[in-house]
Amino acid sequence: MTAPQIRLTGHIDVPTDRQSAVATALPAHIALTRAEPGCLAFDVTPDPNTEGRYQVAELFTDRAAFDAHQARAAASDWAKVTAGIPRHYQITEVPA
């Protein structure tokens, strides 16, 4: 039996005073994540209808790959730039 993939979907609402810093840090965060073992998809895109909102969609091969991503991201520049900004995410298991 194959382990389920892990999908994260949702959004992050970036306050106006932090939007520039987040937009500057985002390309490196995306590139580093997409290069991780087990990352199948990783997209963070501005929401065209809500100022400062980014839609987030991630897909990892399994829980271990997702957990490794979370650990790496928590220790990254991205974590510093986005510290304290609430995330609104749903994490689900999907058949591989």
Side-chain angles (χ1 to χ4, degrees):
M1 184 169 171
T2 304
Q5 295 176 343
I6 303 299
R7 180 183 312 272
L8 180 149
T9 57
H11 66 272
I12 178 173
D13 288 321
V14 180
T16 303
D17 64 335
R18 297 178 69 185
Q19 288 177 11
S20 178
V22 168
T24 298
L26 185 56
H29 178 55
I30 291 171
L32 288 169
T33 300
R34 287 180 178 169
E36 291 175 8
C39 178
L40 299 174
F42 188 82
D43 295 297
V44 182
T45 54
D47 186 311
N49 301 312
T50 304
E51 178 70 26
R53 177 171 288 178
Y54 288 85
Q55 295 295 331
V56 181
E58 307 177 7
L59 183 63
F60 289 86
T61 54
D62 56 25
R63 176 64 65 177
F66 178 76
D67 290 347
H69 162 67
Q70 292 292 304
R72 186 206 56 81
S76 71
D77 286 340
W78 176 253
K80 294 177 187 116
V81 170
T82 61
I85 300 175
R87 274 88 162 150
H88 307 276
Y89 296 156
Q90 292 182 343
I91 299 168
T92 55
E93 294 183 350
V94 294

